[in-house]
Amino acid sequence: EVQLVESGGGLVQAGGSLRLSCAHSGLTFDDYAIRWFRQAPGKEREGVSCISSSDGSTWYSDSVKGRFTISEDNAKNTVSLQINSLKPEDTAVYYCAASMVCDREPDFWGQGTQVIVSS
């Protein structure tokens, strides 16, 4: 059974930082991609970052480039998303998801972690 569990969300002031984590287990793909999405109230879900297990390549949306950093600890089966210089518009539920490659729709999703940025 594939499981993805996010953690690290919370309430933070604008300009602050958070580190989100996605602990994954049960993935049977030889290579896989872990993606981070977010969904703000009343808005569509947005893909913000992705990391590929095969070569460590990463992708960021333009809206977060330069402030978000994705990384993977293979020994711990954990993907982290470091978020710096938080803005109120970063407020959303953040989800991690797994797919075979970064540009493919995810096959598995976590339950999400809430990030609230106060101004």
Side-chain angles (χ1 to χ4, degrees):
E1 179 187 6
V2 176
Q3 288 190 324
L4 298 108
V5 180
E6 303 95 334
S7 61
L11 173 63
V12 64
Q13 287 189 330
S17 298
L18 277 177
R19 188 174 184 87
L20 307 183
S21 293
C22 173
H24 61 85
S25 61
L27 289 171
T28 58
F29 310 144
D30 288 337
D31 297 313
Y32 57 86
I34 301 294
R35 306 176 65 180
W36 283 96
F37 294 80
R38 67 184 181 184
Q39 188 162 23
K43 294 189 176 181
E44 292 189 356
R45 188 179 63 203
E46 172 191 18
V48 296
S49 188
C50 185
I51 187 165
S52 173
S53 72
S54 61
D55 60 4
S57 58
T58 59
W59 171 86
Y60 300 94
S61 68
D62 288 342
S63 61
V64 307
K65 200 173 294 183
R67 297 189 299 119
F68 287 26
T69 303
I70 191 171
S71 60
E72 181 166 21
D73 183 336
N74 290 316
K76 296 182 180 179
N77 284 347
T78 299
V79 171
S80 297
L81 188 69
Q82 177 69 37
I83 308 175
N84 297 327
S85 302
L86 276 157
K87 305 175 182 180
E89 52 263 44
D90 293 321
T91 294
V93 178
Y94 284 72
Y95 299 90
C96 69
S99 58
M100 293 185 71
V101 293
C102 279
D103 59 358
R104 177 171 164 164
E105 279 299 305
D107 299 287
F108 306 98
W109 291 84
Q111 82 290 350
T113 186
Q114 176 76 59
V115 172
I116 300 174
V117 184
S118 63
S119 56

